[in-house]
């Protein structure tokens, strides 16, 4: 929690600095959202784990700090985790099972952006995250019959804080509407008291950003 507060404090400090900017370099606010393609390093003890499709959504402030540079703090909800699918046939039936680990984070990325053109930017920076939910979802099917179960996990087994580094790019094809892409590599283990290899969040994000003018 202290580390999340540090991330929020950094965001607040950046916004306070923004108030000193002149009207020629106005701060802009916006909303963003899109798709996550997430995975867990080392398969979270599952050697055949694959990427899971999730979503992200939140708000941001874009703060010019120089002619071609800006800082963009964000507060977003991140749906992360991984997925395993197994399928086999026996006695004329096709059996399929799907298992996904769903980890929900409130994340505070602070991206430092280089504006190569008024429309196109590159970015990199840290991301501070706070775990708010942890669930496993199981789906079994046989031919046309299926069943789904959801199990809520004990959050005490997980690290509350998640830290990562993100790199990305974006293009505003309209003055206030653009497409963004970002990859964030987790640097902290998601589990507490993990005696094996560290398991970390990795996610590729693509989506839309809208700036209020």
């Amino acid at each position: 929690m202290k580390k999340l507060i540090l991330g929020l404090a950094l965001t607040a400090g950046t916004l306070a600095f923004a108030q000193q900017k002149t009207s020629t370099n106005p701060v802009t606010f916006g909303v963003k959202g899109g798709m996550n393609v997430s995975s867990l390093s080392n398969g979270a003890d599952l050697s055949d784990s694959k990427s899971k499709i999730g979503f992200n959504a939140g708000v941001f402030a874009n703060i010019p700090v120089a002619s071609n540079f800006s800082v963009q703090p964000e507060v977003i909800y991140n749906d992360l985790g991984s997925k395993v699918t197994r399928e086999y046939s026996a006695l004329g039936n096709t059996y399929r099972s799907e298992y996904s680990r769903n980890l929900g984070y409130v994340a505070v990325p602070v991206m430092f952006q280089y504006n190569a053109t008024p429309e196109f930017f590159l970015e990199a920076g840290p991301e501070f995250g706070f775990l708010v939910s942890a669930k496993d979802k199981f789906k079994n099917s046989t031919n046309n019959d299926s069943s789904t179960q959801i199990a809520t996990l004990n959050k005490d087994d997980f690290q509350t804080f998640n830290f990562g580094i993100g790199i990305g790019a974006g293009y505003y094809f309209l003055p206030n509407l653009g497409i963004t892409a970002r990859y964030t590599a987790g640097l902290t283990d998601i589990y507490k008291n993990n005696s094996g290899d560290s398991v970390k969040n990795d996610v590729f994000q693509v989506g839309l950003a809208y700036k209020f003018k």
Side-chain angles (χ1 to χ4, degrees):
M1 178 65 77
K2 291 180 180 178
K3 295 177 181 177
L4 180 67
I5 292 173
L6 175 62
L8 292 171
L10 178 60
T11 302
T14 306
L15 290 173
F17 171 77
Q19 302 306 313
Q20 302 176 11
K21 304 306 293 179
T22 66
S23 60
T24 58
N25 292 298
V27 178
T28 56
F29 297 88
V31 295
K32 63 181 300 186
M35 180 181 70
N36 286 349
V37 182
S38 64
S39 62
L40 296 173
S41 66
N42 298 308
D45 302 324
L46 292 168
S47 60
D48 53 353
S49 66
K50 306 296 182 183
S51 298
K52 181 181 79 74
I53 303 299
F55 73 96
N56 66 84
V59 297
F60 66 87
N62 190 270
I63 306 162
V65 294
S67 59
N68 289 344
F69 292 91
S70 59
V71 178
Q72 182 164 297
E74 305 172 358
V75 178
I76 62 175
Y77 179 82
N78 251 345
D79 176 28
L80 306 180
S82 66
K83 182 178 181 180
V84 173
T85 301
R86 299 187 178 102
E87 186 173 296
Y88 64 94
S89 297
L91 301 175
N93 292 321
T94 298
Y95 298 89
R96 180 183 178 90
S97 62
E98 296 181 358
Y99 157 79
S100 62
R101 174 145 292 178
N102 303 274
L103 303 175
Y105 291 88
V106 173
V108 184
V110 181
M111 294 290 112
F112 298 87
Q113 297 181 343
Y114 169 66
N115 303 295
T117 71
E119 298 81 20
F120 177 72
F121 66 85
L122 301 171
E123 65 178 7
E127 179 177 293
F128 311 87
F130 177 70
L131 182 69
V132 294
S133 67
K135 297 179 180 179
D136 280 350
K137 183 177 180 181
F138 305 89
K139 182 177 181 180
N140 296 301
S141 61
T142 305
N143 294 341
N144 294 324
D145 297 326
S146 64
S147 62
T148 301
Q149 294 179 323
I150 297 177
T152 300
L153 303 177
N154 187 352
K155 288 199 301 179
D156 290 339
D157 294 332
F158 295 83
Q159 297 282 1
T160 301
F161 178 72
N162 183 67
F163 178 74
I165 296 293
I167 58 172
Y171 180 78
Y172 279 85
F173 51 87
L174 294 175
N176 60 342
L177 184 63
I179 186 169
T180 64
R182 182 184 300 165
Y183 172 74
T184 302
L187 300 180
T188 52
D189 196 333
I190 68 170
Y191 295 117
K192 291 181 180 177
N193 306 316
N194 188 356
S195 59
D197 294 334
S198 295
V199 179
K200 303 172 184 177
N201 286 302
D202 292 308
V203 59
F204 175 76
Q205 301 170 316
V206 62
L208 294 175
Y210 180 85
K211 289 182 179 180
F212 298 106
K213 295 293 186 178

